[in-house]
Amino acid sequence: MTGERKGALGSGPEDGPLRPSATEDVSAGPGWLEPEIDKAFAMLGLPAEALRPLKDSYIGCLANTTGPVDLDVAHDACRKGLLRALKAGFTLSPEALMAFEQSLEAVEADLTSSL
């Protein structure tokens, strides 16, 4: 059934985004980043509150990809971890997942070009 919650979150980019605690400091991205990611998540048609931990973790992962790293590789790891966690937690069509991934890739490309 599309949109049905199935499982738990992963523990990090390598096996799904980690949900930060209420007391944990989380890096922030540029001000335009979260609204753009909100748009991508909205296209999934799932409850925003159910997706919030995944979204917050993904944004945190992107925000922590600074310094002497290959940004494309780091962003890929964030996106792939998010997609694994999303697939583990929700049932979505392959088409919805592909469109979502493409939206995230576009946001990541904008983020890379803005740095």
PDB file of all heavy atoms in Angstrom, residues 87-115:
ATOM      1  N   LYS A  87      12.883   3.937   1.800  1.00  0.00           N
ATOM      2  CA  LYS A  87      12.392   2.644   1.306  1.00  0.00           C
ATOM      3  C   LYS A  87      12.101   1.685   2.452  1.00  0.00           C
ATOM      4  O   LYS A  87      11.170   0.887   2.378  1.00  0.00           O
ATOM      5  CB  LYS A  87      13.410   2.007   0.352  1.00  0.00           C
ATOM      6  CG  LYS A  87      13.523   2.710  -0.977  1.00  0.00           C
ATOM      7  CD  LYS A  87      14.635   2.072  -1.807  1.00  0.00           C
ATOM      8  CE  LYS A  87      14.932   2.870  -3.046  1.00  0.00           C
ATOM      9  NZ  LYS A  87      16.064   2.297  -3.805  1.00  0.00           N
ATOM     10  N   ALA A  88      12.908   1.748   3.509  1.00  0.00           N
ATOM     11  CA  ALA A  88      12.702   0.869   4.665  1.00  0.00           C
ATOM     12  C   ALA A  88      11.484   1.274   5.473  1.00  0.00           C
ATOM     13  O   ALA A  88      10.847   0.428   6.111  1.00  0.00           O
ATOM     14  CB  ALA A  88      13.936   0.877   5.564  1.00  0.00           C
ATOM     15  N   GLY A  89      11.130   2.547   5.433  1.00  0.00           N
ATOM     16  CA  GLY A  89      10.037   3.035   6.270  1.00  0.00           C
ATOM     17  C   GLY A  89       8.711   3.213   5.572  1.00  0.00           C
ATOM     18  O   GLY A  89       7.666   3.287   6.233  1.00  0.00           O
ATOM     19  N   PHE A  90       8.717   3.303   4.252  1.00  0.00           N
ATOM     20  CA  PHE A  90       7.489   3.591   3.518  1.00  0.00           C
ATOM     21  C   PHE A  90       7.445   2.768   2.232  1.00  0.00           C
ATOM     22  O   PHE A  90       8.481   2.419   1.678  1.00  0.00           O
ATOM     23  CB  PHE A  90       7.424   5.082   3.145  1.00  0.00           C
ATOM     24  CG  PHE A  90       7.431   5.998   4.329  1.00  0.00           C
ATOM     25  CD1 PHE A  90       8.616   6.496   4.843  1.00  0.00           C
ATOM     26  CD2 PHE A  90       6.239   6.360   4.942  1.00  0.00           C
ATOM     27  CE1 PHE A  90       8.630   7.337   5.942  1.00  0.00           C
ATOM     28  CE2 PHE A  90       6.242   7.199   6.043  1.00  0.00           C
ATOM     29  CZ  PHE A  90       7.429   7.691   6.542  1.00  0.00           C
ATOM     30  N   THR A  91       6.257   2.510   1.764  1.00  0.00           N
ATOM     31  CA  THR A  91       6.072   1.842   0.485  1.00  0.00           C
ATOM     32  C   THR A  91       5.725   2.900  -0.551  1.00  0.00           C
ATOM     33  O   THR A  91       4.693   3.562  -0.441  1.00  0.00           O
ATOM     34  CB  THR A  91       4.939   0.795   0.570  1.00  0.00           C
ATOM     35  OG1 THR A  91       5.264  -0.139   1.585  1.00  0.00           O
ATOM     36  CG2 THR A  91       4.755   0.081  -0.752  1.00  0.00           C
ATOM     37  N   LEU A  92       6.614   3.071  -1.519  1.00  0.00           N
ATOM     38  CA  LEU A  92       6.428   4.056  -2.575  1.00  0.00           C
ATOM     39  C   LEU A  92       6.683   3.405  -3.924  1.00  0.00           C
ATOM     40  O   LEU A  92       7.470   2.463  -4.022  1.00  0.00           O
ATOM     41  CB  LEU A  92       7.397   5.224  -2.388  1.00  0.00           C
ATOM     42  CG  LEU A  92       7.188   6.059  -1.128  1.00  0.00           C
ATOM     43  CD1 LEU A  92       8.421   6.890  -0.830  1.00  0.00           C
ATOM     44  CD2 LEU A  92       5.972   6.950  -1.298  1.00  0.00           C
ATOM     45  N   SER A  93       6.050   3.938  -4.945  1.00  0.00           N
ATOM     46  CA  SER A  93       6.251   3.391  -6.288  1.00  0.00           C
ATOM     47  C   SER A  93       7.649   3.745  -6.772  1.00  0.00           C
ATOM     48  O   SER A  93       8.236   4.761  -6.365  1.00  0.00           O
ATOM     49  CB  SER A  93       5.214   3.973  -7.257  1.00  0.00           C
ATOM     50  OG  SER A  93       5.498   5.339  -7.520  1.00  0.00           O
ATOM     51  N   PRO A  94       8.197   2.916  -7.665  1.00  0.00           N
ATOM     52  CA  PRO A  94       9.517   3.224  -8.231  1.00  0.00           C
ATOM     53  C   PRO A  94       9.527   4.589  -8.930  1.00  0.00           C
ATOM     54  O   PRO A  94      10.522   5.309  -8.873  1.00  0.00           O
ATOM     55  CB  PRO A  94       9.761   2.093  -9.229  1.00  0.00           C
ATOM     56  CG  PRO A  94       8.894   0.968  -8.758  1.00  0.00           C
ATOM     57  CD  PRO A  94       7.694   1.615  -8.123  1.00  0.00           C
ATOM     58  N   GLU A  95       8.419   4.956  -9.557  1.00  0.00           N
ATOM     59  CA  GLU A  95       8.336   6.244 -10.245  1.00  0.00           C
ATOM     60  C   GLU A  95       8.416   7.404  -9.248  1.00  0.00           C
ATOM     61  O   GLU A  95       9.092   8.408  -9.502  1.00  0.00           O
ATOM     62  CB  GLU A  95       7.037   6.349 -11.059  1.00  0.00           C
ATOM     63  CG  GLU A  95       6.925   5.348 -12.187  1.00  0.00           C
ATOM     64  CD  GLU A  95       6.474   3.947 -11.740  1.00  0.00           C
ATOM     65  OE1 GLU A  95       5.973   3.788 -10.606  1.00  0.00           O
ATOM     66  OE2 GLU A  95       6.638   3.011 -12.538  1.00  0.00           O
ATOM     67  N   ALA A  96       7.720   7.270  -8.126  1.00  0.00           N
ATOM     68  CA  ALA A  96       7.750   8.319  -7.093  1.00  0.00           C
ATOM     69  C   ALA A  96       9.153   8.457  -6.519  1.00  0.00           C
ATOM     70  O   ALA A  96       9.640   9.570  -6.316  1.00  0.00           O
ATOM     71  CB  ALA A  96       6.745   8.013  -5.988  1.00  0.00           C
ATOM     72  N   LEU A  97       9.807   7.324  -6.277  1.00  0.00           N
ATOM     73  CA  LEU A  97      11.168   7.364  -5.753  1.00  0.00           C
ATOM     74  C   LEU A  97      12.136   8.009  -6.744  1.00  0.00           C
ATOM     75  O   LEU A  97      13.003   8.790  -6.359  1.00  0.00           O
ATOM     76  CB  LEU A  97      11.646   5.964  -5.387  1.00  0.00           C
ATOM     77  CG  LEU A  97      11.071   5.395  -4.090  1.00  0.00           C
ATOM     78  CD1 LEU A  97      11.404   3.912  -3.963  1.00  0.00           C
ATOM     79  CD2 LEU A  97      11.595   6.165  -2.899  1.00  0.00           C
ATOM     80  N   MET A  98      11.980   7.695  -8.016  1.00  0.00           N
ATOM     81  CA  MET A  98      12.867   8.247  -9.034  1.00  0.00           C
ATOM     82  C   MET A  98      12.673   9.757  -9.144  1.00  0.00           C
ATOM     83  O   MET A  98      13.647  10.519  -9.192  1.00  0.00           O
ATOM     84  CB  MET A  98      12.633   7.595 -10.394  1.00  0.00           C
ATOM     85  CG  MET A  98      13.572   8.135 -11.474  1.00  0.00           C
ATOM     86  SD  MET A  98      13.385   7.301 -13.049  1.00  0.00           S
ATOM     87  CE  MET A  98      14.135   5.736 -12.643  1.00  0.00           C
ATOM     88  N   ALA A  99      11.423  10.213  -9.173  1.00  0.00           N
ATOM     89  CA  ALA A  99      11.149  11.647  -9.255  1.00  0.00           C
ATOM     90  C   ALA A  99      11.685  12.363  -8.020  1.00  0.00           C
ATOM     91  O   ALA A  99      12.259  13.462  -8.120  1.00  0.00           O
ATOM     92  CB  ALA A  99       9.649  11.888  -9.406  1.00  0.00           C
ATOM     93  N   PHE A 100      11.532  11.755  -6.853  1.00  0.00           N
ATOM     94  CA  PHE A 100      12.033  12.323  -5.608  1.00  0.00           C
ATOM     95  C   PHE A 100      13.558  12.435  -5.655  1.00  0.00           C
ATOM     96  O   PHE A 100      14.135  13.478  -5.329  1.00  0.00           O
ATOM     97  CB  PHE A 100      11.579  11.452  -4.437  1.00  0.00           C
ATOM     98  CG  PHE A 100      12.053  11.915  -3.091  1.00  0.00           C
ATOM     99  CD1 PHE A 100      11.643  13.131  -2.573  1.00  0.00           C
ATOM    100  CD2 PHE A 100      12.885  11.115  -2.329  1.00  0.00           C
ATOM    101  CE1 PHE A 100      12.068  13.559  -1.318  1.00  0.00           C
ATOM    102  CE2 PHE A 100      13.314  11.519  -1.073  1.00  0.00           C
ATOM    103  CZ  PHE A 100      12.908  12.751  -0.572  1.00  0.00           C
ATOM    104  N   GLU A 101      14.213  11.365  -6.075  1.00  0.00           N
ATOM    105  CA  GLU A 101      15.676  11.366  -6.166  1.00  0.00           C
ATOM    106  C   GLU A 101      16.169  12.440  -7.136  1.00  0.00           C
ATOM    107  O   GLU A 101      17.134  13.152  -6.853  1.00  0.00           O
ATOM    108  CB  GLU A 101      16.195   9.995  -6.585  1.00  0.00           C
ATOM    109  CG  GLU A 101      17.709   9.932  -6.617  1.00  0.00           C
ATOM    110  CD  GLU A 101      18.254   8.537  -6.870  1.00  0.00           C
ATOM    111  OE1 GLU A 101      17.507   7.645  -7.310  1.00  0.00           O
ATOM    112  OE2 GLU A 101      19.459   8.357  -6.612  1.00  0.00           O
ATOM    113  N   GLN A 102      15.492  12.591  -8.256  1.00  0.00           N
ATOM    114  CA  GLN A 102      15.891  13.612  -9.227  1.00  0.00           C
ATOM    115  C   GLN A 102      15.728  15.019  -8.649  1.00  0.00           C
ATOM    116  O   GLN A 102      16.562  15.894  -8.888  1.00  0.00           O
ATOM    117  CB  GLN A 102      15.094  13.457 -10.523  1.00  0.00           C
ATOM    118  CG  GLN A 102      15.487  12.229 -11.299  1.00  0.00           C
ATOM    119  CD  GLN A 102      14.555  11.934 -12.465  1.00  0.00           C
ATOM    120  OE1 GLN A 102      13.457  12.471 -12.567  1.00  0.00           O
ATOM    121  NE2 GLN A 102      15.008  11.055 -13.356  1.00  0.00           N
ATOM    122  N   SER A 103      14.679  15.224  -7.867  1.00  0.00           N
ATOM    123  CA  SER A 103      14.483  16.526  -7.214  1.00  0.00           C
ATOM    124  C   SER A 103      15.613  16.805  -6.220  1.00  0.00           C
ATOM    125  O   SER A 103      16.132  17.921  -6.151  1.00  0.00           O
ATOM    126  CB  SER A 103      13.142  16.568  -6.477  1.00  0.00           C
ATOM    127  OG  SER A 103      12.080  16.537  -7.383  1.00  0.00           O
ATOM    128  N   LEU A 104      15.987  15.779  -5.457  1.00  0.00           N
ATOM    129  CA  LEU A 104      17.083  15.949  -4.502  1.00  0.00           C
ATOM    130  C   LEU A 104      18.400  16.235  -5.216  1.00  0.00           C
ATOM    131  O   LEU A 104      19.185  17.073  -4.776  1.00  0.00           O
ATOM    132  CB  LEU A 104      17.225  14.706  -3.626  1.00  0.00           C
ATOM    133  CG  LEU A 104      16.057  14.380  -2.706  1.00  0.00           C
ATOM    134  CD1 LEU A 104      16.338  13.094  -1.943  1.00  0.00           C
ATOM    135  CD2 LEU A 104      15.742  15.524  -1.763  1.00  0.00           C
ATOM    136  N   GLU A 105      18.639  15.538  -6.327  1.00  0.00           N
ATOM    137  CA  GLU A 105      19.869  15.762  -7.090  1.00  0.00           C
ATOM    138  C   GLU A 105      19.945  17.206  -7.584  1.00  0.00           C
ATOM    139  O   GLU A 105      21.021  17.820  -7.574  1.00  0.00           O
ATOM    140  CB  GLU A 105      19.961  14.792  -8.260  1.00  0.00           C
ATOM    141  CG  GLU A 105      20.259  13.372  -7.831  1.00  0.00           C
ATOM    142  CD  GLU A 105      20.161  12.364  -8.967  1.00  0.00           C
ATOM    143  OE1 GLU A 105      19.558  12.675 -10.028  1.00  0.00           O
ATOM    144  OE2 GLU A 105      20.683  11.250  -8.804  1.00  0.00           O
ATOM    145  N   ALA A 106      18.812  17.758  -8.002  1.00  0.00           N
ATOM    146  CA  ALA A 106      18.780  19.146  -8.478  1.00  0.00           C
ATOM    147  C   ALA A 106      19.096  20.107  -7.328  1.00  0.00           C
ATOM    148  O   ALA A 106      19.854  21.076  -7.507  1.00  0.00           O
ATOM    149  CB  ALA A 106      17.421  19.465  -9.091  1.00  0.00           C
ATOM    150  N   VAL A 107      18.534  19.847  -6.155  1.00  0.00           N
ATOM    151  CA  VAL A 107      18.816  20.684  -4.986  1.00  0.00           C
ATOM    152  C   VAL A 107      20.300  20.589  -4.626  1.00  0.00           C
ATOM    153  O   VAL A 107      20.955  21.604  -4.341  1.00  0.00           O
ATOM    154  CB  VAL A 107      17.927  20.284  -3.785  1.00  0.00           C
ATOM    155  CG1 VAL A 107      18.365  20.980  -2.513  1.00  0.00           C
ATOM    156  CG2 VAL A 107      16.461  20.581  -4.077  1.00  0.00           C
ATOM    157  N   GLU A 108      20.840  19.382  -4.658  1.00  0.00           N
ATOM    158  CA  GLU A 108      22.257  19.181  -4.326  1.00  0.00           C
ATOM    159  C   GLU A 108      23.159  19.913  -5.327  1.00  0.00           C
ATOM    160  O   GLU A 108      24.182  20.500  -4.956  1.00  0.00           O
ATOM    161  CB  GLU A 108      22.580  17.693  -4.292  1.00  0.00           C
ATOM    162  CG  GLU A 108      21.928  16.977  -3.139  1.00  0.00           C
ATOM    163  CD  GLU A 108      21.936  15.480  -3.280  1.00  0.00           C
ATOM    164  OE1 GLU A 108      22.650  14.940  -4.165  1.00  0.00           O
ATOM    165  OE2 GLU A 108      21.224  14.817  -2.506  1.00  0.00           O
ATOM    166  N   ALA A 109      22.791  19.899  -6.597  1.00  0.00           N
ATOM    167  CA  ALA A 109      23.574  20.603  -7.616  1.00  0.00           C
ATOM    168  C   ALA A 109      23.549  22.112  -7.342  1.00  0.00           C
ATOM    169  O   ALA A 109      24.586  22.780  -7.446  1.00  0.00           O
ATOM    170  CB  ALA A 109      23.032  20.299  -9.019  1.00  0.00           C
ATOM    171  N   ASP A 110      22.383  22.630  -6.979  1.00  0.00           N
ATOM    172  CA  ASP A 110      22.282  24.053  -6.621  1.00  0.00           C
ATOM    173  C   ASP A 110      23.129  24.362  -5.396  1.00  0.00           C
ATOM    174  O   ASP A 110      23.789  25.405  -5.330  1.00  0.00           O
ATOM    175  CB  ASP A 110      20.834  24.460  -6.366  1.00  0.00           C
ATOM    176  CG  ASP A 110      19.990  24.493  -7.625  1.00  0.00           C
ATOM    177  OD1 ASP A 110      20.560  24.498  -8.744  1.00  0.00           O
ATOM    178  OD2 ASP A 110      18.748  24.516  -7.498  1.00  0.00           O
ATOM    179  N   LEU A 111      23.105  23.457  -4.419  1.00  0.00           N
ATOM    180  CA  LEU A 111      23.886  23.667  -3.207  1.00  0.00           C
ATOM    181  C   LEU A 111      25.384  23.692  -3.528  1.00  0.00           C
ATOM    182  O   LEU A 111      26.109  24.577  -3.080  1.00  0.00           O
ATOM    183  CB  LEU A 111      23.581  22.557  -2.196  1.00  0.00           C
ATOM    184  CG  LEU A 111      24.325  22.622  -0.865  1.00  0.00           C
ATOM    185  CD1 LEU A 111      24.032  23.932  -0.135  1.00  0.00           C
ATOM    186  CD2 LEU A 111      23.946  21.427   0.008  1.00  0.00           C
ATOM    187  N   THR A 112      25.839  22.761  -4.347  1.00  0.00           N
ATOM    188  CA  THR A 112      27.247  22.705  -4.722  1.00  0.00           C
ATOM    189  C   THR A 112      27.654  23.980  -5.463  1.00  0.00           C
ATOM    190  O   THR A 112      28.715  24.549  -5.180  1.00  0.00           O
ATOM    191  CB  THR A 112      27.534  21.470  -5.595  1.00  0.00           C
ATOM    192  OG1 THR A 112      27.223  20.296  -4.822  1.00  0.00           O
ATOM    193  CG2 THR A 112      28.980  21.408  -6.043  1.00  0.00           C
ATOM    194  N   SER A 113      26.816  24.437  -6.373  1.00  0.00           N
ATOM    195  CA  SER A 113      27.172  25.633  -7.155  1.00  0.00           C
ATOM    196  C   SER A 113      27.131  26.905  -6.321  1.00  0.00           C
ATOM    197  O   SER A 113      27.762  27.891  -6.684  1.00  0.00           O
ATOM    198  CB  SER A 113      26.269  25.753  -8.377  1.00  0.00           C
ATOM    199  OG  SER A 113      24.949  26.047  -7.983  1.00  0.00           O
ATOM    200  N   SER A 114      26.415  26.868  -5.197  1.00  0.00           N
ATOM    201  CA  SER A 114      26.339  28.072  -4.357  1.00  0.00           C
ATOM    202  C   SER A 114      27.504  28.175  -3.373  1.00  0.00           C
ATOM    203  O   SER A 114      27.652  29.188  -2.697  1.00  0.00           O
ATOM    204  CB  SER A 114      25.018  28.093  -3.584  1.00  0.00           C
ATOM    205  OG  SER A 114      25.015  27.154  -2.521  1.00  0.00           O
ATOM    206  N   LEU A 115      28.302  27.112  -3.265  1.00  0.00           N
ATOM    207  CA  LEU A 115      29.412  27.124  -2.303  1.00  0.00           C
ATOM    208  C   LEU A 115      30.681  27.674  -2.900  1.00  0.00           C
ATOM    209  O   LEU A 115      30.950  27.752  -3.994  1.00  0.00           O
ATOM    210  CB  LEU A 115      29.650  25.711  -1.754  1.00  0.00           C
ATOM    211  CG  LEU A 115      28.469  25.114  -1.012  1.00  0.00           C
ATOM    212  CD1 LEU A 115      28.778  23.675  -0.619  1.00  0.00           C
ATOM    213  CD2 LEU A 115      28.151  25.922   0.233  1.00  0.00           C
TER     214      LEU A 115
END
